[in-house]
Amino acid sequence: MAPSKPPKAVLFDIGGVCVLSPMEAISLYENRNNIPSGWINYAISRSAPNGYWQRLERGEIKMDKEFFKGFTGDLRNEKKWEDFHKSFTNSKKKLKDVANPTQLGDHVSLKAEAADTRPTDQDRGADIPASNEIQAPANNGKEQDRPSLSKLAKDTTIGDPVSIESEDVVQAGNSDSTSQKQSTSSSSPSPPDATSTLSSVPPLPDIDGETLFWSMMEHSRKPDPYIFPALLRLKKAESKEKPIVAALSNTVIFPPDHPYNRLSDPPESDPRSHFDIFVASADVGLRKPDTKIYKLILEKLDKHDKGQGGSGVKAEDCVFLDDIGENLKTAQHLGMRTIKVVLGKTWRAVKELEQVTGLELMDDKTRRAKL
C-alpha cells in the first residue's frame, strides 16, 4: 500500500542505481582471468575499514600510482587468499558471511541473468537514446566473454553476492576431504598436517588492480535504462508536491583534468547534472553505511527545503534507493523509507517509486513491455 503522504525528498545512490553497477565489471574480470568468483569482492571487503578502496572513497588518498600499487596489494594478499579458501571449505560457515559487498559500495544481484543491462529495442522505453551512453571499447564481437551473472553470483538473505562457483568449491572441498579422511583412516591414524592443508590452496591470482579499477569505472559511466529516465521525469514533474531530488553515493575523486571529471556529452545524459543536492563520500570524508553521512544529507535537505519556504525535512520525509542491503538498513534505522534496486530488474524500483510518489515515471512503451 502506498503511503498517504508523498516524500519531500527522493535520494538516489549512483552506481548500480542511476548508472550500471561496477560489480558486473568485477565479475567479468574474474571470469576472463579464471579467478574464483567472489575473491575480488572478498579481498576488498576484508581490507576494510582502511583498505585502499575504502580510503579512496573517503577522499583520504589520491588516485595515483601509490593508490594502484596499494589496491593491487590488497587484491594479492596471501593471508586473505588462504582465509578465502578456508572459509569456503568450512561447511558450517554461512556463505553470506564470507564476502561483504557493502565495503565496496555495490553488489551483484543474483537475479541478473538480467544483468545484461543494455536494453533491447523493446525494453528501451525511456527518453534517453542509446547515443547518450558513454561507449565502452569494442570487444571485437566476443560477446561470449560476457558471463551469465546468475551463474557468477547467488543472492543471500540481504542480496549479497555469493559465488556459485564458491559453493562448488565447498562441495568439492568437502568431497575431497571426506575421501582423504577415509583413505587416511584406513592407512594411518594421523590427521593431515598443516603443510598438507596449505598445499591445497591454489596459487594467488595475479590481478592488475589498475586495469580492474578502470574497467569498473568505465562500466559505471553508462546510465541505467530505467532509473535514469525516471530521475529525469521526477526532476521535471510539475506536481505541487514535487520532491527534492538528491544523491547519496560512495564516490572517488579522479585526477585533475581527467575526462571523467567532466559531464557527459550532452550534459543532460549525465546523472550528476540532475540533482538538487549531491553528497559524495570522497568529498565529505564519510562513506555509506556510516550513519554520519546520512545525517549530513538530512541536514542539507532540511536547510534546502527551509530555504525554499518549506517546513524542513526529516528522515521520515525521505525515500532512499540503493542496491546494497546494508546501506538501506542504515536509512531504515534513521526512519527513511527505502527501495531496494535489483541489478537487471531496475524497472521494478521505478514501479515502486511511482507508488511512493504518486507520479508517472515510466513512458507507455516501457510500461507495456515490463508491466
Side-chain angles (χ1 to χ4, degrees), residues 63 68 210-218 254 258 260:
M63 188 185 298
F68 290 117
E210 186 169 1
T211 298
L212 170 65
F213 179 88
W214 287 117
S215 68
M216 294 166 66
M217 296 300 104
E218 180 180 57
F254 296 102
H258 191 279
Y260 285 1

Side-chain angles (χ1 to χ4, degrees), residues 3 8 36 65 79 167 200 239 261 266 274 354 356:
K8 289 186 177 181
K65 291 182 179 179
K79 181 61 170 60
E167 287 189 321
S200 65
S239 169
N261 286 321
H274 298 284
E354 284 188 325
V356 170

Side-chain angles (χ1 to χ4, degrees), residues 70-312:
F71 182 50
T72 298
D74 286 343
L75 299 173
R76 294 181 182 176
N77 187 293
E78 293 186 4
K79 181 61 170 60
K80 291 185 177 66
W81 175 246
E82 180 183 327
D83 291 343
F84 174 76
H85 283 274
K86 285 182 179 179
S87 296
F88 282 128
T89 53
N90 180 359
S91 60
K92 294 183 180 180
K93 187 173 182 66
K94 293 181 180 179
L95 292 183
K96 71 182 179 65
D97 294 331
V98 176
N100 179 7
T102 64
Q103 300 301 339
L104 174 62
D106 300 280
H107 82 300
V108 171
S109 166
L110 172 62
K111 302 183 169 63
E113 178 74 31
D116 187 289
T117 40
R118 293 167 293 180
T120 63
D121 291 338
Q122 182 184 25
D123 289 341
R124 194 186 297 279
D127 290 332
I128 176 173
S131 60
N132 279 350
E133 296 182 356
I134 298 177
Q135 300 296 324
N139 63 0
N140 298 321
K142 295 182 179 179
E143 188 63 22
Q144 65 271 19
D145 287 342
R146 182 188 185 89
S148 164
L149 286 186
S150 63
K151 180 179 180 182
L152 290 174
K154 180 174 182 180
D155 264 351
T156 65
T157 55
I158 62 170
D160 295 347
V162 175
S163 164
I164 288 179
E165 180 178 337
S166 297
E167 287 189 321
D168 294 338
V169 171
V170 172
Q171 295 170 357
N174 289 339
S175 175
D176 292 344
S177 176
T178 300
S179 299
Q180 182 179 13
K181 287 180 179 178
Q182 290 174 345
S183 174
T184 302
S185 63
S186 62
S187 59
S188 172
S190 301
D193 58 21
T195 303
S196 174
T197 301
L198 292 175
S199 65
S200 65
V201 178
L204 182 66
D206 185 15
I207 299 175
D208 185 333
E210 186 169 1
T211 298
L212 170 65
F213 179 88
W214 287 117
S215 68
M216 294 166 66
M217 296 300 104
E218 180 180 57
H219 190 80
S220 59
R221 293 280 289 176
K222 303 163 189 163
D224 181 86
Y226 304 110
I227 292 186
F228 180 55
L231 167 64
L232 297 181
R233 286 191 173 88
L234 186 65
K235 184 67 176 176
K236 296 176 182 177
E238 297 181 356
S239 169
K240 293 182 180 180
E241 296 184 339
K242 174 183 175 181
I244 302 169
V245 181
L248 177 61
S249 184
N250 289 344
T251 60
V252 299
I253 298 175
F254 296 102
D257 300 325
H258 191 279
Y260 285 1
N261 286 321
R262 299 190 293 271
L263 293 178
S264 304
D265 187 17
E268 293 76 14
S269 68
D270 194 314
R272 293 174 294 177
S273 64
H274 298 284
F275 294 103
D276 300 310
I277 295 173
F278 198 125
V279 172
S281 66
D283 292 332
V284 300
L286 300 165
R287 64 190 297 276
K288 298 177 296 183
D290 189 336
T291 303
K292 293 178 182 178
I293 196 171
Y294 295 79
K295 291 183 176 179
L296 176 62
I297 197 169
L298 285 172
E299 291 175 2
K300 292 181 177 293
L301 289 167
D302 185 68
K303 182 178 180 180
H304 178 88
D305 186 58
K306 289 178 178 177
Q308 299 295 318
S311 59

